[in-house]
Amino acid sequence: MSSTVKEIEILNADNTELMRISREGTLSLNLNEMQTIQSHFDGLGRNPTDVEIETIAQTWSEHCVHKTFKSMILYSEEGKEPEKIDGLFPTFIQRATEDIAKPWCVSVFSDNAGIIEFDDTYNLVFKVETHNHPSAIEPYGGAGTGIGGVIRDSLGTGLGAKPILNTDVFCFGMPDTPYAQLPKGTLHPKRVFNGVVAGVRDYGNRMGIPTANGAILFDPRYTANPLVFCGNVGLIPRDRCEKSVEPGDLVVSIGGQTGRDGIHGATFSSAELDDTSENLGSVVQIGNPIMEKKIVDALLQARDRNLYRSITDCGAGGFSSAVGEMGEHVGAEVHLERVSLKYEGLAPWEIWLSEAQERMVIAVPPENLDELIEVCQAELVEATVLGTFTDTHRLQVFYEGVVVADLEMEFLHNGLPQPVKEAVWHPPQHPEMASRDKAVQDYTDDLCQLLASPNIASKESVIRQYDHAVQGGIVINPLVGVENDGPSDACVVTPVIGSRKGVIVANGINPKYSDVDPYSSAAAAIDEALRNIIAVGGTLEKTALLDNFCWGNPDKSDRLGELVRAARACYDIATAYGTPFISGKDSLYNEYRDTTTGEQRAIPATLLISAICVMSDIQRAVTMDVKAPGNYIYVVGNTYAELGGSHYFGIHGFIGNNAPIVRPDKGKLTMEKLSTAISNGLVRSCHDCSEGGIGVAAAEMAFSGGYGMSLNLDNIPTGDKSTADDILLFSESNSRFLVEIEPQHQQAYESHMADVPIGNLGTVTDTPNFIVNGTAGRRIVETSIDTLKSAWQSPLQS
Amino acid sequence: MLKPKTLILRTAGTNCDAETDAAFQLAGAETALIHIQNLISGKVNLNDYQILAIPGGFSYGDDISAGILLAVEMKHKLTDALNRFVADGKLIIGICNGFQVLVRTGLLPGINRSGSDTPEMMQQTTLAMNTSAKFECRWVDLETEKSTCVFTKGIKEQVYLPVAHAEGRFTAPPDVLEELESNKQVVFRYAKSEYPHNPNGSDVNIAGICDPTGRIFGLMPHPERFLMKWNHPRWTRLSETERTRSEEGDGLAIFKNAVNYVKSHGK
């Protein structure tokens, strides 16, 4: 055996020794897994090499194989029979998609991104990923390579999609956190914020991909564990969506050189952070967007000339994962000394595991190699033949002629024992807050406070740093209205210039409701993402979803209980709305441990739902800014006293217990009716009611359009006969919208919406005054749109 | 007449090539996306084309400063081909990063000081970091100046286009600014001088300039991003009739002018 490769002594190791090996090697393998490896090699009568055990650790990592979502879960909930759930993913996510069975789903859950139909020539691919752990340690590099990685997912789907749109959602600690309260070893949220935004900006802008949708949320529990969700939509010819690998095809790496950067990223992201994590600099990769742009330019030409049969990106686990996955059903032989290195001195396992960025692996029939290299050279991109796909069903790795790994594909991909985990759910009880109607005469201050709360406040200073118009297809900008600064519900782009067929992308995320019930939070996230799609002119019929779960440590039964609640909601609500999941991802272990105090903090249970809709005619799109005085403002959908986890309770220091629930039958009817009203041209503007309820939605519509409003809460349809003004104004009940209707369309609109609860709240006025009268006739808000707008714009201006 | 042939120049980091290509095609040109390697190697001959377009992006990552590496490459490796292209009276447009490239080659503003027939290729002006010190994407109102520029002949007096850049502050020594005015080389100005209307702090609100002949044109705003009326950020505020009238955006006229010029001059 070569001196550069080490044998790992596990055959005679006891349990303590096995765990020491796992821990000291950052393998993130638990005892059961280590024992499985031990007995496999026992059967072979030899120890594994470092290359082999590292390969197994990467392939079996939470990051790569999502073992929590495939675990057998023993779930218990107060007052209910204990339940056995054979995998959250097959039970709640995959099954939803199967039950919905949309014919336009081309590929779901199998490739690097989901694929849906677009038009006669193209399909769309969509993927959202997280890059949380790296962004906590090195925000700029972590976030940049997060977007770089998800772009490569699109490029690695089918035979490669052209990236056409980015979406980014960030969760940070409070920007005003005092330095003294900063957990040991963590960066200040403001620094994380600025670094993450700059990282995404510099990568996305240089790649020439519009970033036109996103969100930024704040909560103190994200301070040590910020969340960075990066998404990419790609456009792919319909006949380039399938891949295969034949024995004899060459293993070719394309793009950047390999260095010691990003080693152990996959296993690192499957562990909790603590105050020493900042020393793990080598797990964060270094990004080079121009290199990635060159790869896109070269590969899309090679794709169109049919020069390769399969493609995947080198992400977590580097070559070990990429080659291991591509060769799963055939076998592969790789010679590591052929890898183009940034510098000398890497051990074979480091070359094999490096997560150096901007690399793709393709399977090239030997007769196409010369032409492929010619295409790459013309774009100044390196292409290196690393080995061959074989028919041995083994993953064989050589270094200077010596075998450094020889693993059965079967063991590598199917040897991982199904974990069994326990989960429990105890509904929390929080102090309840009552309506303040008796004590308060006027809610203007409350409204201004809500608009200024960081989750609701304008994100314009960030949005403007992203190029949202590159590629020339933008139709609905992230900022809309008379001064181009109102908050759009979703973005719309036309990926084919001149065509009126569009793509809508939106998101929904409500971690605050998780404090009451993660089921409500997940249901509301789906409802919100769909509302945003409907609000700009989309339809449920042509909408697909992505799920991204960011959770605490799932080995703790209470955290896992929350995950079960959220996953169950995903099945229930998605099937009720008929909107399938096409791809998803999870990032678990988002916890921080203070090694001196032993204190353990988890992030709030956070589910991001991203929605994508194919729009047949973008000329039917609407925006949220009011258009003209004299038009009516209607609320669509019932309001309930649902303020648990709401922003209104939040600004008064309460959580409460009645988080908004989704009533999907009613919600579906509401959305379908409103969607046809919009496509029939009956609706002049539309905004979804979410954080801050009707009050915030109305204020945003008014100041974005530059007109005042005069509203009356009397006509708000309620599902529970609520009459308190603050509840009506600030409740965050789901499946509600505010719409602006021109008088000439009022009758047609009302009769079209006959089956849906709607209420005429008042009119758009030709003054700057924003006035709301309560149910008892008293004036509860009286201010100007300038005051409201400045409250909304000031907090995050720079 | 045959469609004018347009070469859309690409290199590592070019990223507005597809929409620039679409713009010229909609305007009636025949187009080819050509990597600069192929011009340098001689595989493709620049002088087989009538229009050269240098699109936006981050050529070579804008390392050192925006556009400079591509400018140096063009100046030193395509000297003869470029000289002939210009001398033949053909058209060049540089948008955003392409404008930065043209300024750094000296093709813009191209004020002739030596009296020589070939372009001097001396940098006379620059595009510096925005006064806001950051990349910004926003729409701006532009005033069309009465200039010699063939790309803007007869277009509207007020044009609305998006900008998206970090290094777009046009600045030049006073004598150069004076010459630009007297030669009618200022093509577009930002309509107001205060930020964010003048989004980068450019001298005398300059958004685009041409060379003294009017045949080489560079601008920071992106006309290729406003080919369709629904690219306008406020198109949903238009009335029902306006929304369904024409489908063309303000930017297309610039490309049509280029195509028509070549057709009528038979270059």
Side-chain angles (χ1 to χ4, degrees):
Chain A
M1 193 154 282
S2 157
S3 62
T4 48
V5 66
K6 279 195 316 211
E7 192 177 311
I8 306 294
E9 177 56 63
I10 67 166
L11 290 189
N12 300 312
D14 61 12
N15 291 349
T16 326
E17 176 62 9
L18 286 176
M19 284 318 290
R20 189 194 62 81
I21 293 168
S22 171
R23 197 175 50 249
E24 289 183 3
T26 326
L27 301 179
S28 294
L29 292 168
N30 65 27
L31 182 58
N32 186 19
E33 290 156 356
M34 286 300 290
Q35 287 168 336
T36 306
I37 297 168
Q38 188 181 39
S39 80
H40 176 77
F41 280 92
D42 200 40
L44 300 175
R46 66 173 177 93
N47 275 311
T49 65
D50 52 359
V51 179
E52 287 173 328
I53 201 154
E54 294 280 1
T55 304
I56 296 168
Q58 301 304 312
T59 311
W60 290 8
S61 68
E62 184 66 63
H63 189 101
C64 292
V65 79
H66 309 289
K67 45 198 173 193
T68 297
F69 270 77
K70 292 174 182 162
S71 297
M72 174 65 73
I73 295 177
L74 309 173
Y75 175 74
S76 59
E77 189 176 315
E78 233 170 58
K80 285 192 183 162
E81 284 289 303
E83 196 182 341
K84 236 180 171 179
I85 301 165
D86 192 359
L88 291 174
F89 172 70
T91 309
F92 295 125
I93 308 294
Q94 197 171 26
R95 190 164 59 94
T97 302
E98 286 163 9
D99 290 356
I100 295 163
K102 288 286 182 195
W104 43 259
C105 286
V106 177
S107 163
V108 293
F109 307 118
S110 56
D111 211 330
N112 286 312
I115 310 180
I116 59 171
E117 287 177 1
F118 179 61
D119 63 12
D120 294 339
T121 316
Y122 296 106
N123 289 331
L124 292 170
V125 313
F126 191 21
K127 174 68 167 282
V128 175
E129 278 218 315
T130 55
H131 224 216
N132 303 334
H133 283 46
S135 302
I137 294 176
E138 210 288 86
Y140 181 86
T145 53
I147 193 73
V150 80
I151 292 167
R152 287 196 307 280
D153 277 328
S154 286
L155 191 60
T157 298
L159 292 176
K162 178 193 172 193
I164 59 156
L165 181 72
N166 287 337
T167 165
D168 302 289
V169 174
F170 309 138
C171 300
F172 301 127
M174 304 309 286
D176 57 355
T177 307
Y179 278 86
Q181 286 173 20
L182 220 50
K184 205 172 136 197
T186 63
L187 301 175
H188 193 275
K190 207 138 191 183
R191 174 153 169 219
V192 177
F193 183 168
N194 290 333
V196 165
V197 168
V200 165
R201 173 196 67 203
D202 287 354
Y203 211 105
N205 290 353
R206 277 174 173 67
M207 285 292 294
I209 303 167
T211 299
N213 172 261
I216 304 176
L217 290 83
F218 300 91
D219 187 291
R221 289 166 289 177
Y222 295 122
T223 302
N225 292 94
L227 304 182
V228 173
F229 300 89
C230 297
N232 181 263
V233 180
L235 189 70
I236 187 168
R238 292 179 72 137
D239 60 358
R240 289 291 186 278
C241 293
E242 284 180 27
K243 51 177 52 152
S244 66
V245 174
E246 301 286 332
D249 287 352
L250 302 172
V251 179
V252 178
S253 94
I254 302 283
Q257 295 178 318
T258 299
R260 210 169 263 130
D261 37 333
I263 288 177
H264 281 146
T267 50
F268 161 66
S269 65
S270 310
E272 294 177 355
L273 295 181
D274 64 30
D275 53 27
T276 63
S277 302
E278 60 177 333
N279 302 326
L280 290 169
S282 78
V283 298
V284 183
Q285 307 86 341
I286 302 157
N288 178 355
I290 299 302
M291 171 63 80
E292 188 144 310
K293 180 72 170 81
K294 291 196 292 186
I295 296 172
V296 173
D297 292 343
L299 279 177
L300 294 185
Q301 291 173 45
R303 175 199 72 185
D304 292 342
R305 294 201 210 172
N306 252 328
L307 298 183
Y308 56 87
R309 244 194 283 268
S310 182
I311 182 168
T312 200
D313 71 307
C314 267
F319 288 129
S320 77
S321 296
V323 180
E325 271 171 39
M326 284 174 84
E328 180 178 350
H329 302 293
V330 281
E333 182 190 300
V334 170
H335 299 269
L336 293 178
E337 73 281 359
R338 298 185 189 166
V339 172
S340 173
L341 299 179
K342 293 182 180 176
Y343 35 77
E344 292 301 309
L346 272 72
W349 74 268
E350 291 178 307
I351 299 173
W352 187 230
L353 255 69
S354 165
E355 294 179 13
Q357 295 291 289
E358 293 91 26
R359 300 177 305 163
M360 303 291 293
V361 177
I362 56 177
V364 181
E367 63 272 22
N368 295 344
L369 183 66
D370 290 347
E371 195 178 345
L372 176 92
I373 287 177
E374 198 182 306
V375 168
C376 289
Q377 276 173 351
E379 297 292 335
L380 310 171
V381 175
E382 233 180 298
T384 313
V385 180
L386 302 184
T388 315
F389 290 103
T390 59
D391 56 5
T392 58
H393 297 275
R394 304 185 73 83
L395 182 57
Q396 292 167 306
V397 186
F398 298 83
Y399 184 72
E400 291 173 348
V402 179
V403 181
V404 296
D406 185 1
L407 291 165
E408 288 165 39
M409 286 289 188
E410 174 62 23
F411 176 69
L412 185 60
H413 291 288
N414 300 315
L416 173 69
Q418 186 189 31
V420 178
K421 297 190 181 200
E422 280 181 29
V424 56
W425 162 246
H426 299 293
Q429 276 302 314
H430 302 289
E432 195 57 57
M433 177 178 142
S435 162
R436 291 159 65 245
D437 275 10
K438 291 211 173 78
V440 177
Q441 292 300 314
D442 184 288
Y443 287 110
T444 307
D445 282 351
D446 288 82
L447 181 56
C448 288
Q449 260 191 69
L450 284 169
L451 288 166
S453 71
N455 286 355
I456 296 174
S458 170
K459 311 294 186 296
E460 181 175 355
S461 64
V462 174
I463 296 167
R464 292 240 173 268
Q465 296 184 55
Y466 302 145
D467 193 338
H468 42 260
V470 64
Q471 296 193 12
I474 194 82
V475 173
I476 300 296
N477 278 272
L479 296 165
V480 296
V482 68
E483 291 181 69
N484 301 341
D485 57 7
S488 183
D489 288 305
C491 73
V492 181
V493 298
T494 49
V496 181
I497 291 177
S499 159
R500 276 159 58 166
K501 201 140 195 181
V503 183
I504 311 175
V505 169
N507 64 74
I509 181 168
N510 298 281
K512 284 184 190 300
Y513 303 158
S514 289
D515 292 338
V516 178
D517 185 351
Y519 185 98
S520 303
S521 171
I526 296 176
D527 197 86
E528 184 187 14
L530 296 176
R531 292 198 305 272
N532 285 329
I533 293 279
I534 299 296
V536 297
T539 56
L540 290 181
E541 178 48 42
K542 285 290 175 67
T543 299
L545 305 176
L546 305 185
D547 58 282
N548 266 269
F549 291 86
C550 285
W551 240 250
N553 185 340
D555 301 331
K556 297 171 186 169
S557 60
D558 56 338
R559 314 267 205 268
L560 190 59
E562 295 181 341
L563 194 58
V564 172
R565 292 284 299 164
R568 194 187 299 276
C570 285
Y571 177 83
D572 294 350
I573 306 302
T575 49
Y577 280 123
T579 48
F581 295 99
I582 55 166
S583 176
K585 197 87 192 188
D586 53 87
S587 162
L588 311 176
Y589 302 94
N590 288 291
E591 301 217 6
Y592 167 85
R593 193 166 48 91
D594 187 324
T595 53
T596 37
T597 62
E599 192 199 352
Q600 185 90 26
R601 314 168 186 217
I603 59 161
T606 307
L607 171 64
L608 170 68
I609 295 290
S610 310
I612 185 166
C613 174
V614 174
M615 190 174 191
S616 53
D617 182 4
I618 47 107
Q619 291 230 83
R620 307 274 41 143
V622 294
T623 50
M624 51 71 68
D625 46 308
V626 293
K627 305 298 188 298
N631 291 343
Y632 299 116
I633 298 296
Y634 280 79
V635 62
V636 181
N638 271 335
T639 299
Y640 301 80
E642 295 178 315
L643 289 114
S646 69
H647 277 65
Y648 177 63
F649 274 16
I651 60 171
H652 294 292
F654 284 85
I655 293 172
N657 302 290
N658 295 322
I661 62 168
V662 174
R663 298 160 185 86
D665 296 345
K666 289 182 179 139
K668 187 174 188 221
L669 182 68
T670 301
M671 290 194 207
E672 284 174 345
K673 282 288 186 181
L674 180 57
S675 173
T676 40
I678 292 174
S679 61
N680 292 344
L682 299 176
V683 176
R684 199 66 185 94
S685 61
C686 180
H687 195 20
D688 97 300
C689 283
S690 52
E691 296 160 318
I694 291 173
V696 164
E700 288 176 345
M701 288 176 82
F703 63 63
S704 301
Y707 294 110
M709 276 186 193
S710 177
L711 306 178
N712 195 319
L713 300 186
D714 269 338
N715 287 338
I716 293 180
T718 64
D720 56 6
K721 303 201 165 47
S722 293
T723 54
D725 289 333
D726 54 350
I727 287 171
L728 294 173
L729 198 55
F730 301 128
S731 169
E732 297 181 6
S733 292
N734 286 296
S735 313
R736 295 179 309 155
F737 301 83
L738 287 188
V739 294
E740 177 191 12
I741 306 293
E742 289 172 346
Q744 80 225 39
H745 293 313
Q746 183 181 26
Q747 212 178 353
Y749 167 77
E750 286 196 354
S751 60
H752 178 84
M753 299 295 286
D755 307 333
V756 176
I758 58 170
N760 184 342
L761 301 189
T763 53
V764 180
T765 59
D766 198 9
T767 70
N769 302 331
F770 185 88
I771 289 160
V772 181
N773 292 313
T775 52
R778 65 177 175 158
R779 187 155 287 192
I780 56 165
V781 176
E782 181 164 16
T783 182
S784 76
I785 53 170
D786 303 327
T787 306
L788 295 170
K789 189 171 184 176
S790 117
W792 180 73
Q793 284 187 325
S794 324
L796 301 172
Q797 207 140 48
S798 60
Chain B
M1 183 189 163
L2 286 173
K3 288 179 166 188
K5 288 177 79 177
T6 302
L7 186 149
I8 295 166
L9 186 68
R10 289 180 50 242
T11 192
T14 304
N15 66 30
C16 300
D17 43 326
E19 52 271 41
T20 306
D21 186 49
F24 273 105
Q25 287 192 20
L26 286 169
E30 182 188 322
T31 61
L33 294 161
I34 303 292
H35 199 289
I36 191 165
Q37 294 302 314
N38 291 331
L39 290 178
I40 293 171
S41 70
K43 223 173 177 179
V44 177
N45 184 353
L46 177 63
N47 286 289
D48 291 342
Y49 295 82
Q50 285 97 37
I51 303 172
L52 167 65
I54 311 171
F58 292 80
S59 53
Y60 302 112
D62 279 353
D63 292 348
I64 305 174
S65 75
I68 196 155
L69 294 177
L70 181 56
V72 167
E73 204 171 21
M74 287 174 65
K75 227 161 107 166
H76 294 290
K77 296 192 177 165
L78 299 177
T79 326
D80 295 342
L82 269 176
N83 281 343
R84 199 182 135 199
F85 195 84
V86 175
D88 284 352
K90 292 177 174 179
L91 302 187
I92 304 180
I93 182 171
I95 302 167
C96 196
N97 195 234
F99 183 25
Q100 292 161 338
V101 170
L102 290 176
V103 158
R104 300 206 196 285
T105 56
L107 282 167
L108 281 178
I111 297 167
N112 194 325
R113 291 239 160 80
S114 65
S116 142
D117 289 344
T118 53
E120 285 169 62
M121 302 268 197
M122 288 287 290
Q123 185 173 347
Q124 297 164 331
T125 62
T126 198
L127 290 156
M129 189 67 175
N130 296 351
T131 42
S132 67
K134 59 184 177 193
F135 183 100
E136 279 188 80
C137 178
R138 60 170 76 247
W139 285 70
V140 290
D141 284 303
L142 299 170
E143 305 272 1
T144 311
E145 295 289 308
K146 290 197 173 29
S147 70
T148 56
C149 184
V150 305
F151 290 84
T152 53
K153 236 173 206 91
I155 72 166
K156 296 195 289 186
E157 280 173 26
Q158 265 113 27
V159 177
Y160 196 50
L161 291 177
V163 292
H165 59 251
E167 294 175 58
R169 178 163 59 88
F170 183 87
T171 182
D175 57 318
V176 174
L177 287 175
E178 254 170 56
E179 280 191 77
L180 289 177
E181 304 284 358
S182 58
N183 292 345
K184 299 200 178 306
Q185 287 180 252
V186 178
V187 182
F188 281 129
R189 280 186 223 271
Y190 303 111
K192 290 181 196 163
S193 51
E194 61 272 23
Y195 174 83
H197 305 284
N198 174 344
N200 45 38
S202 287
D203 287 356
V204 287
N205 305 323
I206 289 178
I209 58 169
C210 60
D211 78 329
T213 71
R215 292 190 297 259
I216 305 177
F217 175 39
L219 74 171
M220 287 314 295
H222 286 275
E224 82 287 10
R225 296 183 182 184
F226 191 16
L227 302 176
M228 296 295 159
K229 69 154 185 247
W230 51 72
N231 297 138
H232 189 294
R234 293 189 301 273
W235 72 272
T236 61
R237 297 186 70 79
L238 298 171
S239 71
E240 182 82 38
T241 18
E242 287 173 309
R243 276 201 307 267
T244 40
R245 203 181 292 150
S246 144
E247 295 200 341
E248 195 173 299
D250 282 6
L252 191 54
I254 288 172
F255 304 97
K256 284 186 169 171
N257 269 331
V259 168
N260 292 337
Y261 177 86
V262 173
K263 280 186 174 169
S264 61
H265 289 71
K267 296 289 179 189

